[in-house]
């Protein structure tokens, strides 16, 4: 089955562009709230890095989620969209002074600190403002995730977080610093994780670390388990809303919680991934020596995931019902890696057909670039095109 798209409206818009189905987005958010709401003190933050389109952000803010930011730009985008600053968490291995100051000025909920030198700088900058910064330590749990190597973050070899061995030392340091308040631990093992066993492994590791801390009579108020829940790229229509029930249940079951402890989640892809498609127009159908190419007007500058991670996105010809033929779908960029898919079957393609590249709501529009002096793609939400 193809997705349902307002094709006539699409004909009036300059391609390529992103299209966001806000019914699906709202239903997804309702499901997140319903499933997380079953458990006391589960707080969900939206990972702004997945998609910072202002219309999308507004809808997510309306649903009451917090914001997980990794830069000053994201903090500004979240504030502009109306996220309350006491629900903003701020992670990242390389926070600049102006970004830390922005967080301090806005009294954000928590800095997720990734190194000792960063902790020292936050303490100094907070002192200069006579403030106390709330900090959590991002601990690298050395837990692998069964996902693409480029999006695995929780292994000792990755640049992220503070090693488990250093955890006690940095907590001691923080407790002796006048301008930081140590409030929690933060983790994130990777993205596009579909095997709940990976999250169970994270829970087990967090339990171990908490037991270790409890021996020192330290019980943190907040545990942030990051994000990472994956989506079904193969079948965007089959399970368009990810299995949030199993996800939250998994944490409720496997994470040992101390009384009143709050559990935070930072979900990006699972919230916005399926609601977005990249809509592109066919420029030419070219017969190669061994294959035929459908050359479209979107390129890796608009959606880099296939080129960067060999990611699969389902592709549909939304303006043809003719018998299927086999095509390589390629863009106009001067790079051999500017290929969206190889040897896929599509309803016969002709010049000016519209193609939907599905499941592109997360890490699509936001990762677009201006390489080849291209214009950044615009994003439209479905309710604008009624
Ligand atoms: N929290 C932290 C600390 C993160 O680094 C990330 C994603 C998230 C939360 C959100 O993860 P999600 O729920 O979206 O899996 N560009 C890549 C994905 C990079 C993910 C980076 N970190 C892609 O297109 O697959």
């Amino acid at each position: 089955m193809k997705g349902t798209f307002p094709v006539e409206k699409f004909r009036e818009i300059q391609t390529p562009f992103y299209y966001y189905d806000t019914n699906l987005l709202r239903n997804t958010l309702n499901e997140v709230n319903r499933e997380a709401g079953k458990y006391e003190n589960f707080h969900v933050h939206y990972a702004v890095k997945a998609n910072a389109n202002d219309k999308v952000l507004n809808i997510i803010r309306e649903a009451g989620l917090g914001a997980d930011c990794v830069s000053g730009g994201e903090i500004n985008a979240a504030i502009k969209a109306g996220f309350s600053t006491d629900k903003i968490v701020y992670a990242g291995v390389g926070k600049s002074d102006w970004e830390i100051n922005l967080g301090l000025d806005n009294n954000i909920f928590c800095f997720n600190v990734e190194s000792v030198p960063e902790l020292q700088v936050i303490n100094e900058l907070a002192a200069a403002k006579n403030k106390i910064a709330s900090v959590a330590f991002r601990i690298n749990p050395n837990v692998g995730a069964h996902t693409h190597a480029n999006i695995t973050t929780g292994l000792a070899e990755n640049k992220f977080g503070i090693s488990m061995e250093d955890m006690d030392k940095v907590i001691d340091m923080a407790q002796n610093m006048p301008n930081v308040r140590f409030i929690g631990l933060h983790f994130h093992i990777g993205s596009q994780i579909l095997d709940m066993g990976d999250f169970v492994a994270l829970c087990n590791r967090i339990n171990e670390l908490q037991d270790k801390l409890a021996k020192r009579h330290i019980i943190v108020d907040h545990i942030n388990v990051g994000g990472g829940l994956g989506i079904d790229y193969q079948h965007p229509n089959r399970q368009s809303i990810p299995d949030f029930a199993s996800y939250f249940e998994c944490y409720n079951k496997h994470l040992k919680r101390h009384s009143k402890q709050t559990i935070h989640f930072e979900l990006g892809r699972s919230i916005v991934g399926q609601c977005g498609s990249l809509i592109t127009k066919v420029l030419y159908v070219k017969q190669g020596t061994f294959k035929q190419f459908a050359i479209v007007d979107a390129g890796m500058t608009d959606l880099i995931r296939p080129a960067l991670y060999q990611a699969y996105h389902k592709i549909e010809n939304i303006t043809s019902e003719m018998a299927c033929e086999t095509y390589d779908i390629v863009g106009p960029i001067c790079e051999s890696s500017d290929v969206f898919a190889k040897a896929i079957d599509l309803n016969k393609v002709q010049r000016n057909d519209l193609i939907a590249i599905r499941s592109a709501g997360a890490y699509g529009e936001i990762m677009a670039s201006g390489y080849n002096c291209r214009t950044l793609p615009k994003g439209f939400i479905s309710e604008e095109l009624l």
Side-chain angles (χ1 to χ4, degrees):
M1 189 188 97
K2 291 188 190 183
T4 43
F5 295 102
V7 172
E8 292 313 312
K9 287 280 176 193
F10 283 179
R11 288 283 181 204
E12 297 165 18
I13 304 172
Q14 173 75 51
T15 48
F17 60 90
Y18 278 90
Y19 172 73
Y20 301 107
D21 174 348
T22 51
N23 277 336
L24 179 54
L25 176 58
R26 287 180 210 279
N27 289 340
T28 305
L29 288 162
N30 287 342
E31 186 71 4
V32 168
N33 280 333
R34 201 165 63 99
E35 293 304 329
K38 286 183 179 166
Y39 309 104
E40 217 187 327
N41 289 332
F42 272 26
H43 290 264
V44 182
H45 304 263
Y46 167 62
V48 176
K49 63 178 80 66
N51 187 322
N53 178 294
D54 51 356
K55 292 165 259 184
V56 170
L57 277 187
N58 268 321
I59 293 172
I60 297 170
R61 189 256 310 146
E62 277 166 16
L65 274 63
D68 158 38
C69 300
V70 288
S71 71
E74 286 190 0
I75 294 175
N76 280 329
I79 292 174
K80 190 163 160 243
F83 282 89
S84 91
T85 53
D86 60 5
K87 284 189 187 173
I88 293 181
V89 293
Y90 175 25
V93 288
K95 300 179 182 76
S96 305
D97 292 13
W98 75 267
E99 296 178 304
I100 294 171
N101 281 326
L102 182 69
L104 291 169
D105 290 341
N106 286 289
N107 300 316
I108 61 167
F109 168 62
C110 187
F111 290 84
N112 290 332
V113 172
E114 306 219 14
S115 67
V116 170
E118 180 195 328
L119 178 68
Q120 286 161 336
V121 170
I122 292 177
N123 184 51
E124 278 163 28
L125 294 176
K129 291 180 184 291
N130 240 332
K131 291 199 166 192
I132 296 182
S134 295
V135 301
F137 290 116
R138 177 168 180 178
I139 305 297
N140 187 328
N142 200 14
V143 169
H146 297 94
T147 184
H148 191 283
N150 288 13
I151 49 177
T152 301
T153 48
L155 287 175
E157 67 196 51
N158 298 128
K159 69 177 174 181
F160 299 100
I162 292 165
S163 69
M164 288 181 290
E165 299 73 52
D166 288 344
M167 181 180 76
D168 287 318
K169 192 178 81 192
V170 286
I171 291 174
D172 291 344
M173 284 177 79
Q175 283 175 334
N176 288 316
M177 287 181 181
N179 294 88
V180 296
R181 181 185 306 117
F182 166 61
I183 63 165
L185 298 176
H186 175 227
F187 304 85
H188 175 75
I189 54 172
S191 200
Q192 184 52 18
I193 297 170
L194 290 166
D195 182 348
M196 290 294 149
D198 291 338
F199 296 123
V200 175
L202 173 63
C203 289
N204 291 339
R205 183 51 52 80
I206 297 174
N207 294 342
E208 273 170 38
L209 291 172
Q210 291 223 80
D211 288 347
K212 198 171 152 212
L213 288 179
K215 289 201 184 108
R216 299 181 57 205
H217 308 289
I218 297 173
I219 291 171
V220 296
D221 291 337
H222 303 280
I223 298 285
N224 182 332
V225 297
L229 178 62
I231 62 172
D232 189 343
Y233 282 97
Q234 255 69 28
H235 307 287
N237 300 328
R238 194 185 289 171
Q239 199 187 7
S240 53
I241 299 182
D243 186 1
F244 292 111
S246 303
Y247 175 73
F248 290 118
E249 207 220 322
C250 169
Y251 278 101
N252 185 55
K253 186 165 166 205
H254 295 280
L255 193 61
K256 278 200 256 158
R257 294 165 65 183
H258 297 265
S259 69
K260 298 223 177 84
Q261 227 172 22
T262 303
I263 311 299
H264 298 259
F265 299 86
E266 302 172 335
L267 294 173
R269 187 190 317 264
S270 53
I271 292 176
V272 289
Q274 294 293 29
C275 76
S277 297
L278 176 61
I279 307 297
T280 176
K281 192 183 282 179
V282 176
L283 298 173
Y284 307 105
V285 178
K286 170 165 139 174
Q287 299 297 327
T289 315
F290 303 112
K291 40 170 107 177
Q292 58 180 349
F293 297 96
I295 303 171
V296 298
D297 62 2
M300 60 191 284
T301 50
D302 305 295
L303 177 66
I304 200 173
R305 303 193 70 258
L308 193 58
Y309 316 116
Q310 296 74 50
Y312 173 83
H313 285 260
K314 189 171 169 63
I315 299 181
E316 294 168 348
N317 184 344
I318 58 175
T319 49
S320 166
E321 292 294 339
M322 284 189 271
C324 284
E325 295 190 13
T326 305
Y327 302 90
D328 280 14
I329 313 296
V330 302
I333 311 298
C334 299
E335 299 272 348
S336 310
S337 53
D338 185 30
V339 175
F340 289 117
K342 287 193 173 164
I344 58 157
D345 287 345
L346 276 193
N347 295 104
K348 185 177 168 60
V349 170
Q350 291 172 307
R351 176 170 163 81
N352 288 330
D353 276 351
L354 291 176
I355 303 288
I357 306 182
R358 304 288 308 276
S359 313
Y363 308 107
E365 184 180 353
I366 194 72
M367 290 180 81
S369 80
Y371 181 44
N372 282 192
C373 286
R374 285 176 50 95
T375 314
L376 292 178
K378 289 204 173 86
F380 296 90
I381 57 174
S382 44
E383 51 217 59
E384 284 178 279
L385 305 183
L386 293 175

